[in-house]
Amino acid sequence: IYVVTSQNELYSFYPPTLSFKFIGNLACPASPGETPFSMAVDRKGFAYVLFTDGNLFRVSTKTAACLPTSYQPNQLGWSTFGMGFSSDDDGNDQLFVTHDNSNLSGFSDGLGTINTQTFRLSSVATFSPPIVQRAELTGTGDGRLFAYWPDEASGQDGAFIAQINRKDGQVIGASRIDVGSPHSAFAFAFWGGDFWIFSGDQTQSSITKYD
Protein backbone atom coordinates (compact mmCIF):
# COMPACT_ATOMS: atom_id res chain seq x y z
CA ILE A 1 0.00 0.00 0.00
CA TYR A 2 1.20 3.53 -0.75
CA VAL A 3 0.30 6.69 1.16
CA VAL A 4 1.13 10.35 0.66
CA THR A 5 1.23 13.10 3.27
CA SER A 6 0.23 16.74 3.03
CA GLN A 7 3.97 17.44 3.41
CA ASN A 8 4.57 15.82 -0.03
CA GLU A 9 6.13 12.65 1.43
CA LEU A 10 5.54 9.31 -0.29
CA TYR A 11 5.63 6.13 1.84
CA SER A 12 4.96 2.45 1.34
CA PHE A 13 3.12 0.50 4.04
CA TYR A 14 3.52 -3.29 4.35
CA PRO A 15 0.50 -4.77 6.19
CA PRO A 16 2.08 -8.05 7.46
CA THR A 17 4.64 -6.12 9.53
CA LEU A 18 2.70 -2.84 9.91
CA SER A 19 5.84 -1.05 8.73
CA PHE A 20 6.28 2.15 6.76
CA LYS A 21 9.16 2.85 4.38
CA PHE A 22 9.98 6.35 3.20
CA ILE A 23 10.31 6.46 -0.60
CA GLY A 24 10.95 10.13 -1.22
CA ASN A 25 9.64 13.67 -1.33
CA LEU A 26 7.42 14.58 -4.24
CA ALA A 27 8.86 17.32 -6.39
CA CYS A 28 5.70 17.92 -8.40
CA PRO A 29 5.55 21.26 -10.26
CA ALA A 30 2.54 22.35 -8.22
CA SER A 31 1.63 25.92 -7.34
CA PRO A 32 3.11 27.24 -4.08
CA GLY A 33 1.06 26.23 -1.05
CA GLU A 34 -0.85 23.45 -2.82
CA THR A 35 -0.62 19.97 -1.25
CA PRO A 36 -1.69 16.40 -2.12
CA PHE A 37 -5.42 15.79 -1.76
CA SER A 38 -5.92 12.24 -3.04
CA MET A 39 -3.90 9.40 -4.60
CA ALA A 40 -4.57 6.20 -6.54
CA VAL A 41 -2.03 3.57 -7.64
CA ASP A 42 -2.37 1.37 -10.72
CA ARG A 43 -1.17 -2.22 -11.13
CA LYS A 44 2.04 -1.06 -12.82
CA GLY A 45 3.06 0.89 -9.72
CA PHE A 46 2.35 4.39 -10.95
CA ALA A 47 0.55 6.73 -8.59
CA TYR A 48 -1.77 9.51 -9.70
CA VAL A 49 -1.75 12.31 -7.16
CA LEU A 50 -4.38 15.04 -7.12
CA PHE A 51 -3.39 18.34 -5.51
CA THR A 52 -5.69 20.77 -3.73
CA ASP A 53 -5.83 23.08 -6.77
CA GLY A 54 -7.22 20.28 -8.96
CA ASN A 55 -4.03 19.45 -10.86
CA LEU A 56 -3.19 15.77 -11.39
CA PHE A 57 0.37 14.38 -11.42
CA ARG A 58 1.89 10.97 -12.25
CA VAL A 59 4.34 9.67 -9.64
CA SER A 60 6.70 6.68 -9.57
CA THR A 61 6.22 4.54 -6.47
CA LYS A 62 9.85 3.44 -6.80
CA THR A 63 11.54 6.86 -6.73
CA ALA A 64 8.78 9.44 -6.02
CA ALA A 65 9.67 11.12 -9.34
CA CYS A 66 6.75 13.29 -10.41
CA LEU A 67 5.54 14.48 -13.82
CA PRO A 68 2.52 16.61 -14.73
CA THR A 69 -0.34 15.12 -16.74
CA SER A 70 -2.51 16.82 -19.34
CA TYR A 71 -5.53 16.69 -17.02
CA GLN A 72 -7.41 20.00 -17.03
CA PRO A 73 -8.79 20.93 -13.61
CA ASN A 74 -12.48 21.61 -12.99
CA GLN A 75 -13.82 19.34 -15.70
CA LEU A 76 -17.58 18.89 -15.12
CA GLY A 77 -17.14 21.49 -12.37
CA TRP A 78 -15.31 18.94 -10.19
CA SER A 79 -12.38 20.61 -8.45
CA THR A 80 -11.24 17.88 -6.01
CA PHE A 81 -12.22 14.25 -5.73
CA GLY A 82 -11.35 10.89 -4.22
CA MET A 83 -9.82 8.24 -6.50
CA GLY A 84 -9.30 4.50 -6.85
CA PHE A 85 -8.43 1.98 -9.54
CA SER A 86 -10.63 -1.01 -10.30
CA SER A 87 -10.35 -3.51 -13.14
CA ASP A 88 -12.91 -3.35 -15.94
CA ASP A 89 -14.52 -6.40 -17.55
CA ASP A 90 -11.39 -6.96 -19.69
CA GLY A 91 -9.06 -6.84 -16.69
CA ASN A 92 -7.70 -3.37 -17.49
CA ASP A 93 -7.16 -0.72 -14.83
CA GLN A 94 -9.81 1.98 -14.75
CA LEU A 95 -9.48 5.11 -12.62
CA PHE A 96 -12.71 5.88 -10.79
CA VAL A 97 -13.30 9.18 -9.01
CA THR A 98 -15.98 10.54 -6.70
CA HIS A 99 -16.60 14.26 -6.51
CA ASP A 100 -15.84 16.04 -3.25
CA ASN A 101 -18.87 18.29 -2.78
CA SER A 102 -18.62 18.60 1.00
CA ASN A 103 -18.50 22.41 0.98
CA LEU A 104 -21.97 22.60 -0.60
CA SER A 105 -24.62 19.96 0.10
CA GLY A 106 -22.39 17.65 2.12
CA PHE A 107 -22.94 14.80 -0.35
CA SER A 108 -21.03 13.81 -3.47
CA ASP A 109 -22.32 14.71 -6.94
CA GLY A 110 -21.55 11.20 -8.10
CA LEU A 111 -19.15 8.69 -9.64
CA GLY A 112 -16.90 9.34 -12.62
CA THR A 113 -13.89 7.98 -14.48
CA ILE A 114 -10.68 9.55 -15.77
CA ASN A 115 -9.12 8.11 -18.93
CA THR A 116 -5.39 7.97 -18.12
CA GLN A 117 -4.51 8.26 -21.82
CA THR A 118 -6.58 11.32 -22.71
CA PHE A 119 -7.10 12.57 -19.11
CA ARG A 120 -10.73 13.31 -19.83
CA LEU A 121 -13.15 13.15 -16.89
CA SER A 122 -16.49 11.47 -17.62
CA SER A 123 -19.51 11.16 -15.38
CA VAL A 124 -20.79 7.62 -14.71
CA ALA A 125 -23.84 8.18 -12.50
CA THR A 126 -25.15 9.81 -9.36
CA PHE A 127 -25.08 7.60 -6.28
CA SER A 128 -28.23 5.67 -5.43
CA PRO A 129 -29.20 6.11 -2.68
CA PRO A 130 -27.41 9.52 -2.50
CA ILE A 131 -25.63 8.86 0.80
CA VAL A 132 -21.97 9.06 -0.25
CA GLN A 133 -20.13 12.05 1.16
CA ARG A 134 -16.46 13.10 0.75
CA ALA A 135 -15.02 9.68 -0.04
CA GLU A 136 -11.99 7.70 -1.12
CA LEU A 137 -12.21 4.67 -3.41
CA THR A 138 -10.38 1.37 -3.73
CA GLY A 139 -10.68 -1.65 -5.99
CA THR A 140 -10.34 -5.38 -5.35
CA GLY A 141 -8.58 -8.04 -7.41
CA ASP A 142 -11.88 -9.33 -8.76
CA GLY A 143 -12.91 -5.94 -10.13
CA ARG A 144 -15.21 -4.64 -7.38
CA LEU A 145 -15.19 -1.00 -6.27
CA PHE A 146 -15.58 0.21 -2.67
CA ALA A 147 -15.89 3.62 -1.00
CA TYR A 148 -15.01 4.89 2.47
CA TRP A 149 -16.28 8.17 3.88
CA PRO A 150 -16.42 9.86 7.32
CA ASP A 151 -19.90 10.76 8.53
CA GLU A 152 -19.51 14.50 8.02
CA ALA A 153 -23.22 15.07 7.35
CA SER A 154 -24.20 14.15 10.91
CA GLY A 155 -21.13 15.74 12.48
CA GLN A 156 -20.57 12.59 14.53
CA ASP A 157 -17.54 10.34 14.81
CA GLY A 158 -17.57 7.23 12.65
CA ALA A 159 -17.56 6.40 8.96
CA PHE A 160 -19.04 4.15 6.28
CA ILE A 161 -17.72 1.48 3.91
CA ALA A 162 -19.84 0.44 0.94
CA GLN A 163 -19.52 -1.40 -2.33
CA ILE A 164 -20.25 0.77 -5.37
CA ASN A 165 -21.63 -0.59 -8.65
CA ARG A 166 -19.13 0.71 -11.20
CA LYS A 167 -21.73 1.00 -13.95
CA ASP A 168 -24.69 2.73 -12.31
CA GLY A 169 -23.48 4.17 -8.98
CA GLN A 170 -25.67 1.88 -6.88
CA VAL A 171 -24.50 1.88 -3.23
CA ILE A 172 -24.46 -1.71 -1.97
CA GLY A 173 -24.46 -2.67 1.71
CA ALA A 174 -23.17 0.47 3.45
CA SER A 175 -21.73 -0.49 6.85
CA ARG A 176 -21.09 2.03 9.62
CA ILE A 177 -17.81 1.60 11.50
CA ASP A 178 -16.29 3.37 14.51
CA VAL A 179 -13.33 4.91 12.69
CA GLY A 180 -12.33 8.55 12.29
CA SER A 181 -14.14 11.81 12.84
CA PRO A 182 -15.85 14.37 10.59
CA HIS A 183 -12.57 16.32 10.44
CA SER A 184 -10.22 13.41 9.72
CA ALA A 185 -7.83 13.24 6.84
CA PHE A 186 -8.09 9.71 5.46
CA ALA A 187 -6.91 7.12 2.95
CA PHE A 188 -8.42 3.77 1.97
CA ALA A 189 -6.88 0.65 0.42
CA PHE A 190 -7.54 -3.05 -0.16
CA TRP A 191 -4.73 -5.56 0.47
CA GLY A 192 -4.65 -9.31 1.08
CA GLY A 193 -8.41 -9.68 1.46
CA ASP A 194 -8.84 -6.82 3.96
CA PHE A 195 -9.50 -3.09 3.86
CA TRP A 196 -6.96 -0.74 5.43
CA ILE A 197 -8.05 2.70 6.62
CA PHE A 198 -5.63 5.49 7.47
CA SER A 199 -7.22 8.36 9.40
CA GLY A 200 -5.99 11.21 11.53
CA ASP A 201 -5.55 14.89 12.13
CA GLN A 202 -2.59 17.23 12.62
CA THR A 203 -1.62 15.62 15.93
CA GLN A 204 -1.98 11.86 15.44
CA SER A 205 -2.95 9.16 12.95
CA SER A 206 -4.32 5.64 13.22
CA ILE A 207 -4.49 2.57 11.01
CA THR A 208 -7.53 0.28 11.00
CA LYS A 209 -7.79 -3.18 9.45
CA TYR A 210 -11.36 -4.05 8.42
CA ASP A 211 -12.35 -7.62 7.53
Side-chain angles (χ1 to χ4, degrees), residues 2 8 25 45 50 65 71 77-78 80 88 107 109 115 126 146 152-153 164 177-178 186-189 194:
Y2 296 91
N8 295 285
N25 291 301
L50 178 73
Y71 180 80
W78 294 16
T80 53
D88 62 21
F107 294 90
D109 281 346
N115 184 313
T126 56
F146 288 82
E152 295 180 341
I164 306 296
I177 58 176
D178 293 327
F186 56 94
F188 182 48
D194 297 302

Side-chain angles (χ1 to χ4, degrees), residues 40-195:
V41 182
D42 67 17
R43 291 177 183 269
K44 296 180 180 179
F46 288 102
Y48 291 84
V49 181
L50 178 73
F51 274 63
T52 47
D53 61 357
N55 282 296
L56 186 65
F57 298 90
R58 189 171 185 257
V59 174
S60 167
T61 56
K62 291 183 178 180
T63 65
C66 180
L67 292 173
T69 70
S70 60
Y71 180 80
Q72 295 297 313
N74 297 311
Q75 294 180 50
L76 304 181
W78 294 16
S79 55
T80 53
F81 40 81
M83 304 188 292
F85 279 98
S86 181
S87 299
D88 62 21
D89 294 338
D90 296 323
N92 300 312
D93 274 340
Q94 191 168 9
L95 181 56
F96 287 88
V97 300
T98 176
H99 185 214
D100 169 33
N101 200 29
S102 58
N103 290 329
L104 299 175
S105 67
F107 294 90
S108 172
D109 281 346
L111 182 69
T113 60
I114 293 177
N115 184 313
T116 54
Q117 300 299 316
T118 65
F119 289 99
R120 178 181 177 182
L121 170 63
S122 300
S123 176
V124 172
T126 56
F127 291 111
S128 178
I131 61 174
V132 179
Q133 303 170 46
R134 181 172 63 99
E136 284 289 358
L137 302 172
T138 193
T140 62
D142 57 4
R144 291 175 294 163
L145 182 69
F146 288 82
Y148 166 88
W149 66 92
D151 189 8
E152 295 180 341
S154 72
Q156 298 177 357
D157 289 351
F160 293 89
I161 290 179
Q163 184 177 347
I164 306 296
N165 186 304
R166 299 177 303 133
K167 296 182 179 180
D168 62 11
Q170 184 74 27
V171 181
I172 305 167
S175 298
R176 186 179 177 88
I177 58 176
D178 293 327
V179 178
S181 75
H183 308 294
S184 293
F186 56 94
F188 182 48
F190 182 81
W191 193 97
D194 297 302
F195 294 107

